[in-house]
Amino acid sequence: MLSRPGFSPTRRAKRARRSDMSDNDQRWYQQPIAWLGIAIFVASMAGCIHLIVLASTHQDPALPNTDSDISFRIPATRESPDPPLAPANEEP
Protein backbone atom coordinates (compact mmCIF):
# COMPACT_ATOMS: atom_id res chain seq x y z
CA MET A 1 0.00 0.00 0.00
CA LEU A 2 1.52 3.26 -1.08
CA SER A 3 0.98 6.27 1.09
CA ARG A 4 0.82 9.81 -0.05
CA PRO A 5 3.54 12.23 1.01
CA GLY A 6 2.66 14.01 4.24
CA PHE A 7 0.41 11.25 5.53
CA SER A 8 2.89 8.94 7.23
CA PRO A 9 2.02 7.51 10.67
CA THR A 10 5.06 9.16 12.26
CA ARG A 11 4.08 12.55 10.90
CA ARG A 12 0.54 12.08 12.25
CA ALA A 13 1.95 11.10 15.64
CA LYS A 14 4.18 14.20 15.74
CA ARG A 15 1.26 16.41 14.79
CA ALA A 16 -0.90 14.79 17.48
CA ARG A 17 1.80 15.33 20.12
CA ARG A 18 2.12 18.99 19.13
CA SER A 19 -1.64 19.50 19.49
CA ASP A 20 -1.62 17.71 22.86
CA MET A 21 1.12 19.98 24.17
CA SER A 22 -0.76 23.06 23.01
CA ASP A 23 -3.49 22.37 25.57
CA ASN A 24 -2.96 24.48 28.68
CA ASP A 25 -3.71 21.68 31.13
CA GLN A 26 -0.72 19.66 29.85
CA ARG A 27 1.92 22.17 30.94
CA TRP A 28 3.90 21.28 34.05
CA TYR A 29 3.43 24.61 35.80
CA GLN A 30 -0.32 24.25 35.76
CA GLN A 31 -0.27 20.94 37.63
CA PRO A 32 -0.89 21.33 41.39
CA ILE A 33 1.20 18.24 42.26
CA ALA A 34 4.28 19.90 40.75
CA TRP A 35 3.80 22.99 42.92
CA LEU A 36 3.22 20.82 45.97
CA GLY A 37 6.51 19.00 45.33
CA ILE A 38 8.35 22.29 44.85
CA ALA A 39 6.82 23.71 48.05
CA ILE A 40 7.82 20.65 50.09
CA PHE A 41 11.37 20.76 48.71
CA VAL A 42 11.76 24.50 49.42
CA ALA A 43 10.33 24.11 52.94
CA SER A 44 12.73 21.27 53.75
CA MET A 45 15.72 23.24 52.47
CA ALA A 46 14.63 26.29 54.50
CA GLY A 47 14.28 24.08 57.58
CA CYS A 48 17.78 22.66 57.09
CA ILE A 49 19.30 26.12 56.72
CA HIS A 50 17.37 27.33 59.77
CA LEU A 51 18.67 24.45 61.91
CA ILE A 52 22.26 25.00 60.74
CA VAL A 53 22.09 28.71 61.56
CA LEU A 54 20.45 28.01 64.93
CA ALA A 55 23.06 25.38 65.81
CA SER A 56 25.95 27.65 64.87
CA THR A 57 24.77 30.39 67.25
CA HIS A 58 24.74 28.13 70.33
CA GLN A 59 27.89 26.75 71.89
CA ASP A 60 28.15 23.16 73.03
CA PRO A 61 29.00 22.63 76.71
CA ALA A 62 32.50 21.33 77.36
CA LEU A 63 32.91 17.63 77.99
CA PRO A 64 33.82 16.66 81.53
CA ASN A 65 37.54 15.94 82.11
CA THR A 66 38.58 13.98 79.03
CA ASP A 67 42.24 13.83 80.06
CA SER A 68 41.82 10.85 82.35
CA ASP A 69 42.34 7.22 81.39
CA ILE A 70 38.62 6.55 81.21
CA SER A 71 36.33 8.45 78.86
CA PHE A 72 32.62 7.68 78.74
CA ARG A 73 33.24 4.65 80.99
CA ILE A 74 35.53 3.12 78.36
CA PRO A 75 39.20 2.64 79.24
CA ALA A 76 41.62 4.51 76.98
CA THR A 77 44.29 1.79 77.19
CA ARG A 78 43.98 -1.94 76.80
CA GLU A 79 44.73 -4.05 79.81
CA SER A 80 47.16 -6.89 79.33
CA PRO A 81 45.41 -10.24 79.20
CA ASP A 82 45.94 -12.80 81.92
CA PRO A 83 48.81 -15.20 81.18
CA PRO A 84 47.62 -18.51 79.76
CA LEU A 85 47.27 -21.33 82.22
CA ALA A 86 49.82 -24.08 82.07
CA PRO A 87 48.47 -27.33 80.66
CA ALA A 88 47.71 -29.90 83.26
CA ASN A 89 50.03 -32.78 82.24
CA GLU A 90 50.45 -34.14 85.70
CA GLU A 91 50.26 -37.90 86.02
CA PRO A 92 49.80 -39.47 89.46
Side-chain angles (χ1 to χ4, degrees):
M1 175 174 175
L2 296 174
S3 63
R4 298 183 309 193
F7 290 99
S8 68
T10 55
R11 187 169 287 193
R12 269 190 234 141
K14 286 180 185 178
R15 195 175 309 133
R17 272 186 265 146
R18 251 187 255 132
S19 67
D20 286 346
M21 290 305 286
S22 66
D23 295 339
N24 287 339
D25 49 272
Q26 293 296 323
R27 296 200 173 123
W28 71 268
Y29 53 82
Q30 292 185 345
Q31 300 296 323
I33 193 73
W35 288 108
L36 178 65
I38 291 170
I40 290 172
F41 176 74
V42 168
S44 65
M45 289 296 113
C48 290
I49 292 170
H50 172 71
L51 285 177
I52 290 170
V53 169
L54 185 68
S56 67
T57 59
H58 295 286
Q59 292 183 356
D60 290 335
L63 293 175
N65 195 8
T66 57
D67 294 335
S68 68
D69 288 341
I70 296 177
S71 177
F72 297 111
R73 296 185 300 219
I74 298 174
T77 58
R78 180 180 240 180
E79 294 180 12
S80 61
D82 293 333
L85 297 174
N89 288 341
E90 298 176 28
E91 292 185 18

